[in-house]
Short mmCIF file of all heavy atoms in Angstrom, two decimals:
data_model
loop_
_atom_site.label_atom_id
_atom_site.label_comp_id
_atom_site.label_asym_id
_atom_site.label_seq_id
_atom_site.Cartn_x
_atom_site.Cartn_y
_atom_site.Cartn_z
N MET A 86 -3.84 -0.55 18.66
CA MET A 86 -2.97 -0.62 17.51
C MET A 86 -3.73 -1.05 16.29
O MET A 86 -4.51 -1.98 16.35
CB MET A 86 -1.74 -1.57 17.76
CG MET A 86 -0.80 -1.53 16.62
SD MET A 86 0.63 -2.65 16.91
CE MET A 86 1.42 -1.80 18.21
N LEU A 87 -3.65 -0.28 15.19
CA LEU A 87 -4.35 -0.64 13.94
C LEU A 87 -3.43 -1.49 13.04
O LEU A 87 -2.23 -1.33 13.06
CB LEU A 87 -4.72 0.61 13.16
CG LEU A 87 -5.71 1.46 13.96
CD1 LEU A 87 -5.90 2.77 13.19
CD2 LEU A 87 -7.03 0.80 14.16
N PHE A 88 -4.02 -2.40 12.31
CA PHE A 88 -3.30 -3.29 11.43
C PHE A 88 -3.80 -3.18 9.95
O PHE A 88 -4.94 -2.91 9.76
CB PHE A 88 -3.37 -4.72 11.88
CG PHE A 88 -2.71 -4.99 13.23
CD1 PHE A 88 -3.39 -4.87 14.42
CD2 PHE A 88 -1.39 -5.36 13.22
CE1 PHE A 88 -2.74 -5.18 15.60
CE2 PHE A 88 -0.75 -5.59 14.41
CZ PHE A 88 -1.42 -5.49 15.61
N ILE A 89 -2.93 -3.46 9.06
CA ILE A 89 -3.24 -3.60 7.65
C ILE A 89 -3.06 -5.09 7.29
O ILE A 89 -2.01 -5.61 7.50
CB ILE A 89 -2.34 -2.72 6.78
CG1 ILE A 89 -2.44 -1.24 7.19
CG2 ILE A 89 -2.68 -2.91 5.30
CD1 ILE A 89 -1.36 -0.39 6.52
N SER A 90 -4.11 -5.69 6.73
CA SER A 90 -3.99 -7.07 6.27
C SER A 90 -3.20 -7.17 4.94
O SER A 90 -3.18 -6.15 4.15
CB SER A 90 -5.32 -7.73 6.18
OG SER A 90 -6.08 -7.20 5.07
N LEU A 91 -2.72 -8.34 4.66
CA LEU A 91 -2.06 -8.54 3.35
C LEU A 91 -3.00 -8.20 2.18
O LEU A 91 -2.62 -7.49 1.29
CB LEU A 91 -1.49 -9.92 3.33
CG LEU A 91 -0.74 -10.34 2.02
CD1 LEU A 91 0.51 -9.40 1.84
CD2 LEU A 91 -0.32 -11.78 2.13
N PRO A 92 -4.22 -8.76 2.19
CA PRO A 92 -5.11 -8.40 1.16
C PRO A 92 -5.46 -6.87 1.00
O PRO A 92 -5.54 -6.36 -0.15
CB PRO A 92 -6.45 -9.14 1.46
CG PRO A 92 -5.98 -10.31 2.28
CD PRO A 92 -4.80 -9.75 3.08
N GLU A 93 -5.48 -6.20 2.11
CA GLU A 93 -5.72 -4.75 2.08
C GLU A 93 -4.51 -4.04 1.46
O GLU A 93 -4.72 -3.06 0.68
CB GLU A 93 -5.96 -4.20 3.51
CG GLU A 93 -7.28 -4.59 4.11
CD GLU A 93 -7.46 -4.23 5.52
OE1 GLU A 93 -6.38 -4.28 6.29
OE2 GLU A 93 -8.54 -3.86 5.96
N LEU A 94 -3.31 -4.46 1.83
CA LEU A 94 -2.09 -3.89 1.27
C LEU A 94 -2.06 -4.12 -0.21
O LEU A 94 -1.70 -3.23 -1.03
CB LEU A 94 -0.90 -4.40 1.95
CG LEU A 94 0.42 -3.72 1.69
CD1 LEU A 94 0.30 -2.23 1.89
CD2 LEU A 94 1.52 -4.27 2.59
N GLU A 95 -2.41 -5.34 -0.64
CA GLU A 95 -2.42 -5.65 -2.08
C GLU A 95 -3.41 -4.79 -2.78
O GLU A 95 -3.15 -4.28 -3.92
CB GLU A 95 -2.78 -7.16 -2.26
CG GLU A 95 -1.69 -8.05 -1.90
CD GLU A 95 -2.08 -9.53 -1.93
OE1 GLU A 95 -3.31 -9.84 -1.86
OE2 GLU A 95 -1.12 -10.32 -1.98
N ALA A 96 -4.57 -4.54 -2.19
CA ALA A 96 -5.62 -3.72 -2.82
C ALA A 96 -5.05 -2.25 -2.93
O ALA A 96 -5.33 -1.62 -3.99
CB ALA A 96 -6.88 -3.75 -2.05
N ALA A 97 -4.39 -1.79 -1.97
CA ALA A 97 -3.86 -0.41 -2.03
C ALA A 97 -2.81 -0.29 -3.21
O ALA A 97 -2.84 0.64 -3.91
CB ALA A 97 -3.15 -0.04 -0.70
N ILE A 98 -1.94 -1.33 -3.29
CA ILE A 98 -0.90 -1.31 -4.42
C ILE A 98 -1.65 -1.35 -5.68
O ILE A 98 -1.31 -0.58 -6.58
CB ILE A 98 0.01 -2.55 -4.18
CG1 ILE A 98 0.92 -2.27 -2.95
CG2 ILE A 98 0.82 -2.76 -5.44
CD1 ILE A 98 1.73 -3.46 -2.52
N ASN A 99 -2.64 -2.19 -5.87
CA ASN A 99 -3.35 -2.28 -7.13
C ASN A 99 -4.09 -1.04 -7.51
O ASN A 99 -4.15 -0.59 -8.58
CB ASN A 99 -4.32 -3.48 -7.15
CG ASN A 99 -3.59 -4.79 -7.22
OD1 ASN A 99 -2.49 -4.84 -7.73
ND2 ASN A 99 -4.14 -5.85 -6.62
N TYR A 100 -4.65 -0.38 -6.40
CA TYR A 100 -5.32 0.91 -6.69
C TYR A 100 -4.31 1.92 -7.22
O TYR A 100 -4.61 2.54 -8.31
CB TYR A 100 -5.92 1.45 -5.37
CG TYR A 100 -6.21 2.93 -5.47
CD1 TYR A 100 -7.38 3.36 -6.15
CD2 TYR A 100 -5.46 3.89 -4.90
CE1 TYR A 100 -7.67 4.67 -6.26
CE2 TYR A 100 -5.76 5.27 -4.97
CZ TYR A 100 -6.85 5.67 -5.66
OH TYR A 100 -7.19 7.00 -5.80
N TRP A 101 -3.19 2.05 -6.64
CA TRP A 101 -2.20 3.04 -7.07
C TRP A 101 -1.61 2.67 -8.45
O TRP A 101 -1.34 3.55 -9.25
CB TRP A 101 -1.07 3.20 -6.05
CG TRP A 101 -1.49 4.08 -4.89
CD1 TRP A 101 -1.68 3.61 -3.59
CD2 TRP A 101 -1.95 5.37 -4.90
NE1 TRP A 101 -2.16 4.62 -2.84
CE2 TRP A 101 -2.30 5.76 -3.57
CE3 TRP A 101 -2.01 6.37 -5.93
CZ2 TRP A 101 -2.77 7.01 -3.27
CZ3 TRP A 101 -2.46 7.66 -5.56
CH2 TRP A 101 -2.81 7.94 -4.28
N ARG A 102 -1.52 1.37 -8.68
CA ARG A 102 -1.07 0.95 -10.08
C ARG A 102 -1.98 1.28 -11.16
O ARG A 102 -1.59 1.67 -12.22
CB ARG A 102 -0.86 -0.54 -10.06
CG ARG A 102 0.36 -0.99 -9.28
CD ARG A 102 0.59 -2.52 -9.29
NE ARG A 102 0.90 -2.90 -10.72
CZ ARG A 102 0.56 -4.10 -11.21
NH1 ARG A 102 -0.08 -5.02 -10.45
NH2 ARG A 102 0.92 -4.39 -12.42
N THR A 103 -3.34 1.30 -10.83
CA THR A 103 -4.30 1.74 -11.86
C THR A 103 -4.34 3.27 -11.99
O THR A 103 -4.63 3.77 -13.04
CB THR A 103 -5.72 1.26 -11.57
OG1 THR A 103 -6.12 1.79 -10.28
CG2 THR A 103 -5.81 -0.25 -11.48
N GLN A 104 -4.06 3.96 -10.89
CA GLN A 104 -4.00 5.47 -10.95
C GLN A 104 -2.81 6.03 -11.71
O GLN A 104 -2.87 6.99 -12.31
CB GLN A 104 -4.07 5.99 -9.52
CG GLN A 104 -5.32 5.62 -8.72
CD GLN A 104 -6.54 6.19 -9.45
OE1 GLN A 104 -6.62 7.39 -9.71
NE2 GLN A 104 -7.45 5.28 -9.76
N SER A 105 -1.68 5.29 -11.55
CA SER A 105 -0.40 5.74 -12.15
C SER A 105 0.37 4.48 -12.53
O SER A 105 1.24 4.04 -11.84
CB SER A 105 0.39 6.54 -11.11
OG SER A 105 1.57 7.05 -11.63
N PRO A 106 0.06 3.97 -13.74
CA PRO A 106 0.75 2.77 -14.22
C PRO A 106 2.24 2.99 -14.37
O PRO A 106 2.73 4.11 -14.54
CB PRO A 106 0.17 2.55 -15.61
CG PRO A 106 -1.17 3.31 -15.59
CD PRO A 106 -0.94 4.45 -14.71
N SER A 107 3.01 1.85 -14.33
CA SER A 107 4.43 1.89 -14.63
C SER A 107 4.74 2.58 -15.90
O SER A 107 4.02 2.45 -16.89
CB SER A 107 4.93 0.45 -14.58
OG SER A 107 4.76 -0.16 -13.35
N ILE A 108 5.91 3.28 -15.94
CA ILE A 108 6.19 4.00 -17.14
C ILE A 108 7.62 3.78 -17.57
O ILE A 108 8.44 3.28 -16.89
CB ILE A 108 6.07 5.56 -16.92
CG1 ILE A 108 6.87 6.02 -15.73
CG2 ILE A 108 4.59 5.89 -16.74
CD1 ILE A 108 6.97 7.51 -15.54
N GLY A 109 7.86 4.04 -18.86
CA GLY A 109 9.22 3.92 -19.47
C GLY A 109 9.61 2.52 -19.69
O GLY A 109 8.93 1.51 -19.37
N ASP A 110 10.80 2.39 -20.30
CA ASP A 110 11.28 1.05 -20.66
C ASP A 110 11.65 0.23 -19.46
O ASP A 110 11.55 -0.98 -19.46
CB ASP A 110 12.56 1.21 -21.54
CG ASP A 110 12.29 1.74 -22.94
OD1 ASP A 110 11.10 1.60 -23.36
OD2 ASP A 110 13.17 2.34 -23.51
N ALA A 111 11.99 0.92 -18.35
CA ALA A 111 12.25 0.21 -17.13
C ALA A 111 11.05 -0.08 -16.26
O ALA A 111 11.18 -0.78 -15.28
CB ALA A 111 13.24 1.06 -16.27
N LEU A 112 9.88 0.37 -16.78
CA LEU A 112 8.61 0.13 -16.00
C LEU A 112 8.71 0.58 -14.53
O LEU A 112 8.36 -0.19 -13.64
CB LEU A 112 8.17 -1.32 -16.13
CG LEU A 112 7.82 -1.86 -17.50
CD1 LEU A 112 7.47 -3.32 -17.50
CD2 LEU A 112 6.70 -1.04 -18.16
N GLU A 113 9.16 1.79 -14.42
CA GLU A 113 9.33 2.35 -13.04
C GLU A 113 7.99 2.51 -12.29
O GLU A 113 7.02 2.90 -12.92
CB GLU A 113 9.97 3.74 -13.25
CG GLU A 113 10.29 4.47 -11.90
CD GLU A 113 10.96 5.76 -12.15
OE1 GLU A 113 11.68 5.91 -13.11
OE2 GLU A 113 10.80 6.66 -11.24
N LEU A 114 7.99 2.14 -11.07
CA LEU A 114 6.78 2.18 -10.25
C LEU A 114 6.52 3.68 -9.85
O LEU A 114 7.46 4.43 -9.63
CB LEU A 114 6.95 1.37 -9.00
CG LEU A 114 7.11 -0.16 -9.24
CD1 LEU A 114 7.40 -0.84 -7.89
CD2 LEU A 114 5.89 -0.80 -9.94
N CYS A 115 5.23 3.98 -9.69
CA CYS A 115 4.87 5.30 -9.16
C CYS A 115 5.34 5.35 -7.70
O CYS A 115 5.55 4.32 -7.05
CB CYS A 115 3.43 5.55 -9.29
SG CYS A 115 2.34 4.61 -8.20
N PRO A 116 5.50 6.54 -7.17
CA PRO A 116 6.01 6.73 -5.76
C PRO A 116 5.19 5.99 -4.75
O PRO A 116 5.70 5.41 -3.80
CB PRO A 116 5.95 8.23 -5.52
CG PRO A 116 6.08 8.79 -6.89
CD PRO A 116 5.39 7.87 -7.81
N GLU A 117 3.90 5.94 -4.99
CA GLU A 117 2.98 5.33 -3.95
C GLU A 117 3.15 3.76 -3.92
O GLU A 117 3.29 3.20 -2.82
CB GLU A 117 1.52 5.69 -4.21
CG GLU A 117 1.15 7.12 -4.02
CD GLU A 117 1.46 7.97 -5.22
OE1 GLU A 117 1.95 7.52 -6.25
OE2 GLU A 117 1.23 9.20 -5.21
N VAL A 118 3.25 3.19 -5.10
CA VAL A 118 3.49 1.77 -5.21
C VAL A 118 4.85 1.44 -4.64
O VAL A 118 5.02 0.44 -3.87
CB VAL A 118 3.30 1.21 -6.61
CG1 VAL A 118 3.73 -0.24 -6.71
CG2 VAL A 118 1.82 1.34 -7.03
N SER A 119 5.82 2.24 -4.98
CA SER A 119 7.18 1.98 -4.52
C SER A 119 7.22 2.04 -3.00
O SER A 119 7.85 1.16 -2.28
CB SER A 119 8.10 3.04 -5.11
OG SER A 119 9.41 2.78 -4.75
N ALA A 120 6.47 2.99 -2.46
CA ALA A 120 6.49 3.10 -0.97
C ALA A 120 5.81 1.97 -0.29
O ALA A 120 6.24 1.50 0.83
CB ALA A 120 5.75 4.40 -0.53
N LEU A 121 4.77 1.41 -0.89
CA LEU A 121 4.07 0.23 -0.26
C LEU A 121 4.73 -1.04 -0.63
O LEU A 121 4.40 -2.08 0.01
CB LEU A 121 2.63 0.21 -0.82
CG LEU A 121 1.80 1.44 -0.33
CD1 LEU A 121 0.42 1.42 -1.08
CD2 LEU A 121 1.57 1.40 1.15
N ALA A 122 5.67 -1.14 -1.49
CA ALA A 122 6.30 -2.33 -1.90
C ALA A 122 7.16 -2.95 -0.72
O ALA A 122 7.14 -4.15 -0.55
CB ALA A 122 7.15 -2.12 -3.18
N LYS A 123 7.81 -2.09 -0.02
CA LYS A 123 8.65 -2.57 1.07
C LYS A 123 7.85 -3.27 2.13
O LYS A 123 8.11 -4.43 2.51
CB LYS A 123 9.53 -1.53 1.60
CG LYS A 123 10.46 -1.97 2.72
CD LYS A 123 11.32 -0.85 3.26
CE LYS A 123 12.17 -1.43 4.43
NZ LYS A 123 13.00 -0.37 5.00
N PRO A 124 6.77 -2.68 2.69
CA PRO A 124 6.03 -3.36 3.73
C PRO A 124 5.33 -4.64 3.11
O PRO A 124 5.21 -5.64 3.89
CB PRO A 124 4.91 -2.39 4.21
CG PRO A 124 5.04 -1.21 3.25
CD PRO A 124 6.36 -1.21 2.58
N TYR A 125 4.96 -4.62 1.88
CA TYR A 125 4.43 -5.82 1.25
C TYR A 125 5.49 -6.91 1.22
O TYR A 125 5.12 -8.09 1.56
CB TYR A 125 3.98 -5.44 -0.17
CG TYR A 125 3.38 -6.61 -0.92
CD1 TYR A 125 2.10 -7.06 -0.67
CD2 TYR A 125 4.08 -7.30 -1.85
CE1 TYR A 125 1.54 -8.13 -1.38
CE2 TYR A 125 3.56 -8.37 -2.55
CZ TYR A 125 2.34 -8.78 -2.28
OH TYR A 125 1.74 -9.83 -2.98
N ALA A 126 6.68 -6.58 0.80
CA ALA A 126 7.78 -7.57 0.80
C ALA A 126 7.98 -8.15 2.12
O ALA A 126 8.24 -9.32 2.35
CB ALA A 126 9.00 -6.95 0.19
N VAL A 127 7.95 -7.33 3.16
CA VAL A 127 8.20 -7.76 4.58
C VAL A 127 7.14 -8.83 4.92
O VAL A 127 7.47 -9.81 5.52
CB VAL A 127 8.25 -6.56 5.56
CG1 VAL A 127 8.26 -7.06 7.02
CG2 VAL A 127 9.45 -5.70 5.33
N LEU A 128 5.89 -8.50 4.60
CA LEU A 128 4.81 -9.42 4.96
C LEU A 128 5.01 -10.79 4.27
O LEU A 128 4.86 -11.79 4.80
CB LEU A 128 3.46 -8.87 4.54
CG LEU A 128 2.91 -7.76 5.44
CD1 LEU A 128 1.52 -7.22 4.91
CD2 LEU A 128 2.73 -8.24 6.89
N ILE A 129 5.38 -10.73 2.98
CA ILE A 129 5.58 -11.92 2.18
C ILE A 129 6.78 -12.73 2.72
O ILE A 129 6.64 -13.94 2.97
CB ILE A 129 5.85 -11.60 0.68
CG1 ILE A 129 4.56 -10.93 0.12
CG2 ILE A 129 6.21 -12.85 -0.12
CD1 ILE A 129 3.32 -11.83 0.12
N ILE A 130 7.85 -12.13 2.93
CA ILE A 130 9.02 -12.79 3.45
C ILE A 130 8.83 -13.44 4.86
O ILE A 130 9.30 -14.51 5.06
CB ILE A 130 10.31 -11.84 3.44
CG1 ILE A 130 10.67 -11.56 1.99
CG2 ILE A 130 11.49 -12.41 4.24
CD1 ILE A 130 11.67 -10.41 1.83
N GLN A 131 8.13 -12.65 5.71
CA GLN A 131 7.89 -13.12 7.08
C GLN A 131 6.73 -14.12 7.08
O GLN A 131 6.46 -14.75 8.18
CB GLN A 131 7.60 -11.97 8.00
CG GLN A 131 8.78 -11.08 8.22
CD GLN A 131 8.48 -9.98 9.15
OE1 GLN A 131 7.37 -9.66 9.44
NE2 GLN A 131 9.54 -9.25 9.57
N GLY A 132 5.98 -14.31 6.01
CA GLY A 132 4.85 -15.17 6.00
C GLY A 132 3.71 -14.61 6.92
O GLY A 132 2.88 -15.39 7.39
N ALA A 133 3.69 -13.33 7.08
CA ALA A 133 2.74 -12.64 8.01
C ALA A 133 1.45 -12.28 7.18
O ALA A 133 1.54 -12.15 6.02
CB ALA A 133 3.30 -11.41 8.63
N GLN A 134 0.38 -12.14 7.96
CA GLN A 134 -0.85 -11.79 7.34
C GLN A 134 -1.28 -10.33 7.58
O GLN A 134 -2.26 -9.86 7.05
CB GLN A 134 -1.99 -12.73 7.78
CG GLN A 134 -1.85 -14.13 7.26
CD GLN A 134 -1.89 -14.17 5.76
OE1 GLN A 134 -2.82 -13.62 5.19
NE2 GLN A 134 -0.89 -14.81 5.16
N ARG A 135 -0.60 -9.63 8.44
CA ARG A 135 -0.95 -8.26 8.80
C ARG A 135 0.33 -7.54 9.25
O ARG A 135 1.31 -8.10 9.70
CB ARG A 135 -2.04 -8.13 9.80
CG ARG A 135 -1.72 -8.70 11.16
CD ARG A 135 -2.89 -8.68 12.08
NE ARG A 135 -2.38 -9.01 13.44
CZ ARG A 135 -3.11 -8.85 14.48
NH1 ARG A 135 -4.34 -8.29 14.40
NH2 ARG A 135 -2.61 -9.10 15.68
N LEU A 136 0.18 -6.21 9.19
CA LEU A 136 1.30 -5.34 9.57
C LEU A 136 0.77 -4.18 10.46
O LEU A 136 -0.34 -3.64 10.06
CB LEU A 136 1.97 -4.74 8.27
CG LEU A 136 2.99 -3.64 8.44
CD1 LEU A 136 4.28 -4.28 8.86
CD2 LEU A 136 3.21 -3.00 7.11
N ALA A 137 1.38 -3.86 11.46
CA ALA A 137 0.94 -2.70 12.28
C ALA A 137 1.10 -1.39 11.49
O ALA A 137 2.18 -1.22 10.88
CB ALA A 137 1.65 -2.60 13.59
N ILE A 138 0.09 -0.61 11.46
CA ILE A 138 0.17 0.62 10.63
C ILE A 138 1.23 1.58 11.10
O ILE A 138 1.79 2.25 10.27
CB ILE A 138 -1.26 1.32 10.67
CG1 ILE A 138 -1.33 2.29 9.43
CG2 ILE A 138 -1.50 2.04 11.91
CD1 ILE A 138 -2.77 2.74 9.18
N ASP A 139 1.61 1.53 12.36
CA ASP A 139 2.64 2.38 12.83
C ASP A 139 4.03 1.90 12.41
O ASP A 139 5.06 2.54 12.68
CB ASP A 139 2.58 2.67 14.35
CG ASP A 139 2.63 1.45 15.21
OD1 ASP A 139 2.47 0.26 14.61
OD2 ASP A 139 2.82 1.53 16.43
N HIS A 140 4.18 0.83 11.68
CA HIS A 140 5.47 0.33 11.15
C HIS A 140 5.67 0.92 9.69
O HIS A 140 6.69 0.66 9.11
CB HIS A 140 5.49 -1.19 11.11
CG HIS A 140 5.76 -1.74 12.47
ND1 HIS A 140 5.00 -2.85 12.95
CD2 HIS A 140 6.61 -1.46 13.45
CE1 HIS A 140 5.41 -3.12 14.17
NE2 HIS A 140 6.38 -2.27 14.49
N LEU A 141 4.66 1.63 9.16
CA LEU A 141 4.84 2.22 7.84
C LEU A 141 5.67 3.52 7.96
O LEU A 141 5.50 4.28 8.86
CB LEU A 141 3.48 2.55 7.25
CG LEU A 141 2.48 1.47 6.96
CD1 LEU A 141 1.12 1.99 6.44
CD2 LEU A 141 3.10 0.51 5.95
N ASP A 142 6.62 3.66 6.97
CA ASP A 142 7.34 4.87 6.98
C ASP A 142 6.43 5.98 6.48
O ASP A 142 5.29 5.68 6.00
CB ASP A 142 8.65 4.75 6.14
CG ASP A 142 8.41 4.54 4.67
OD1 ASP A 142 7.37 5.00 4.06
OD2 ASP A 142 9.20 3.80 4.06
N PRO A 143 6.77 7.25 6.55
CA PRO A 143 5.90 8.34 6.14
C PRO A 143 5.41 8.27 4.71
O PRO A 143 4.18 8.59 4.46
CB PRO A 143 6.78 9.64 6.35
CG PRO A 143 7.75 9.19 7.43
CD PRO A 143 8.00 7.74 7.19
N LYS A 144 6.16 7.90 3.74
CA LYS A 144 5.74 7.80 2.37
C LYS A 144 4.73 6.72 2.19
O LYS A 144 3.74 6.89 1.54
CB LYS A 144 6.96 7.61 1.46
CG LYS A 144 7.80 8.80 1.30
CD LYS A 144 8.96 8.55 0.34
CE LYS A 144 9.83 9.84 0.30
NZ LYS A 144 10.97 9.66 -0.62
N ALA A 145 5.01 5.56 2.84
CA ALA A 145 4.04 4.42 2.76
C ALA A 145 2.70 4.86 3.52
O ALA A 145 1.65 4.48 3.02
CB ALA A 145 4.60 3.12 3.37
N LEU A 146 2.83 5.51 4.61
CA LEU A 146 1.64 5.94 5.35
C LEU A 146 0.78 6.86 4.45
O LEU A 146 -0.43 6.80 4.41
CB LEU A 146 1.98 6.54 6.66
CG LEU A 146 0.89 6.94 7.54
CD1 LEU A 146 -0.06 5.75 7.87
CD2 LEU A 146 1.39 7.55 8.83
N ASP A 147 1.45 7.85 3.79
CA ASP A 147 0.76 8.73 2.90
C ASP A 147 0.03 7.99 1.83
O ASP A 147 -1.09 8.32 1.49
CB ASP A 147 1.72 9.83 2.27
CG ASP A 147 2.17 10.79 3.24
OD1 ASP A 147 1.52 11.05 4.32
OD2 ASP A 147 3.13 11.51 2.92
N ALA A 148 0.72 6.96 1.18
CA ALA A 148 0.15 6.18 0.11
C ALA A 148 -1.05 5.43 0.64
O ALA A 148 -2.11 5.31 0.03
CB ALA A 148 1.15 5.25 -0.53
N TRP A 149 -0.94 4.80 1.86
CA TRP A 149 -1.99 4.09 2.48
C TRP A 149 -3.18 5.02 2.74
O TRP A 149 -4.35 4.63 2.44
CB TRP A 149 -1.48 3.41 3.75
CG TRP A 149 -2.67 2.78 4.48
CD1 TRP A 149 -3.19 3.20 5.70
CD2 TRP A 149 -3.38 1.60 4.17
NE1 TRP A 149 -4.22 2.38 6.04
CE2 TRP A 149 -4.34 1.35 5.11
CE3 TRP A 149 -3.29 0.69 3.05
CZ2 TRP A 149 -5.16 0.25 5.08
CZ3 TRP A 149 -4.12 -0.39 3.03
CH2 TRP A 149 -5.08 -0.59 4.04
N ASN A 150 -2.91 6.10 3.34
CA ASN A 150 -4.06 7.11 3.67
C ASN A 150 -4.74 7.57 2.37
O ASN A 150 -5.96 7.77 2.38
CB ASN A 150 -3.50 8.22 4.49
CG ASN A 150 -3.22 7.88 5.89
OD1 ASN A 150 -3.84 6.90 6.47
ND2 ASN A 150 -2.27 8.51 6.55
N GLY A 151 -3.97 7.82 1.33
CA GLY A 151 -4.57 8.20 0.01
C GLY A 151 -5.54 7.12 -0.47
O GLY A 151 -6.60 7.42 -0.94
N TYR A 152 -5.15 5.84 -0.35
CA TYR A 152 -5.95 4.77 -0.78
C TYR A 152 -7.24 4.72 0.10
O TYR A 152 -8.39 4.59 -0.35
CB TYR A 152 -5.19 3.40 -0.67
CG TYR A 152 -6.09 2.22 -0.72
CD1 TYR A 152 -6.74 1.89 -1.92
CD2 TYR A 152 -6.26 1.41 0.38
CE1 TYR A 152 -7.58 0.76 -1.99
CE2 TYR A 152 -7.04 0.31 0.30
CZ TYR A 152 -7.74 -0.04 -0.84
OH TYR A 152 -8.50 -1.14 -0.95
N ILE A 153 -7.02 4.78 1.45
CA ILE A 153 -8.20 4.76 2.38
C ILE A 153 -9.18 5.90 2.08
O ILE A 153 -10.37 5.72 2.13
CB ILE A 153 -7.67 4.77 3.84
CG1 ILE A 153 -7.00 3.47 4.17
CG2 ILE A 153 -8.80 5.02 4.85
CD1 ILE A 153 -7.83 2.25 4.06
N ASN A 154 -8.65 7.09 1.85
CA ASN A 154 -9.50 8.22 1.53
C ASN A 154 -10.27 7.96 0.34
O ASN A 154 -11.43 8.35 0.17
CB ASN A 154 -8.67 9.49 1.43
CG ASN A 154 -8.12 10.04 2.78
OD1 ASN A 154 -8.63 9.74 3.80
ND2 ASN A 154 -7.09 10.72 2.69
N HIS A 155 -9.78 7.40 -0.67
CA HIS A 155 -10.42 7.02 -1.92
C HIS A 155 -11.56 6.01 -1.60
O HIS A 155 -12.65 6.19 -2.10
CB HIS A 155 -9.43 6.38 -2.95
CG HIS A 155 -10.11 5.73 -4.12
ND1 HIS A 155 -10.70 6.44 -5.14
CD2 HIS A 155 -10.36 4.43 -4.34
CE1 HIS A 155 -11.25 5.54 -5.94
NE2 HIS A 155 -11.08 4.38 -5.46
N ILE A 156 -11.24 5.00 -0.79
CA ILE A 156 -12.24 3.97 -0.45
C ILE A 156 -13.43 4.66 0.31
O ILE A 156 -14.60 4.43 -0.03
CB ILE A 156 -11.64 2.91 0.38
CG1 ILE A 156 -10.61 2.08 -0.40
CG2 ILE A 156 -12.72 1.95 0.99
CD1 ILE A 156 -11.13 1.41 -1.55
N ARG A 157 -13.13 5.51 1.24
CA ARG A 157 -14.19 6.15 2.02
C ARG A 157 -15.02 7.12 1.23
O ARG A 157 -16.20 7.21 1.43
CB ARG A 157 -13.53 6.88 3.21
CG ARG A 157 -13.00 5.99 4.23
CD ARG A 157 -12.43 6.72 5.38
NE ARG A 157 -11.90 5.82 6.42
CZ ARG A 157 -11.02 6.10 7.28
NH1 ARG A 157 -10.45 7.29 7.28
NH2 ARG A 157 -10.64 5.18 8.13
N SER A 158 -14.37 7.78 0.23
CA SER A 158 -15.12 8.72 -0.58
C SER A 158 -16.11 8.02 -1.61
O SER A 158 -16.98 8.62 -2.16
CB SER A 158 -14.20 9.66 -1.34
OG SER A 158 -13.46 8.97 -2.31
N ASN A 159 -15.82 6.74 -1.90
CA ASN A 159 -16.63 5.96 -2.82
C ASN A 159 -17.64 5.11 -2.08
O ASN A 159 -18.35 4.32 -2.78
CB ASN A 159 -15.73 5.11 -3.74
CG ASN A 159 -15.05 5.99 -4.74
OD1 ASN A 159 -15.60 6.95 -5.29
ND2 ASN A 159 -13.78 5.65 -5.00
N ASN A 160 -17.74 5.12 -0.79
CA ASN A 160 -18.76 4.39 -0.03
C ASN A 160 -19.87 5.25 0.43
O ASN A 160 -19.90 6.33 0.56
CB ASN A 160 -18.08 3.58 1.09
CG ASN A 160 -17.29 2.43 0.53
OD1 ASN A 160 -17.61 1.82 -0.51
ND2 ASN A 160 -16.25 2.05 1.26
#
């Protein structure tokens, strides 16, 4: 089973925030950040340091994979 650490999830959220900043008066989050916000909140509320990757819903998994592909292409 693969896991995502809290700092890794934060890095993914920050990556997507720089790629697509919040917009409008309501500062609406981009779809990728919105998808990753729920697992991030779960980690924070539970006081956990990691999350099993298979607990991500499809949208969060797509956002995570997009971030990982970016990291791999820059290394």
Side-chain angles (χ1 to χ4, degrees):
M86 183 177 297
L87 297 174
F88 292 91
I89 301 170
S90 70
L91 182 59
E93 289 172 325
L94 190 54
E95 289 172 339
I98 289 169
N99 288 333
Y100 165 75
W101 286 113
R102 287 181 64 212
T103 61
Q104 296 302 302
S105 184
S107 300
I108 55 172
D110 292 336
L112 297 176
E113 183 177 331
L114 299 174
C115 71
E117 294 85 359
V118 172
S119 184
L121 293 171
K123 182 178 178 181
Y125 179 77
V127 168
L128 286 177
I129 296 299
I130 290 169
Q131 293 179 348
Q134 290 298 309
R135 65 184 190 164
L136 173 76
I138 200 165
D139 56 346
H140 287 132
L141 295 177
D142 67 33
K144 289 181 182 180
L146 184 58
D147 285 346
W149 173 253
N150 286 332
Y152 167 68
I153 292 299
N154 290 335
H155 166 75
I156 296 299
R157 288 181 180 157
S158 69
N159 287 322
N160 286 330

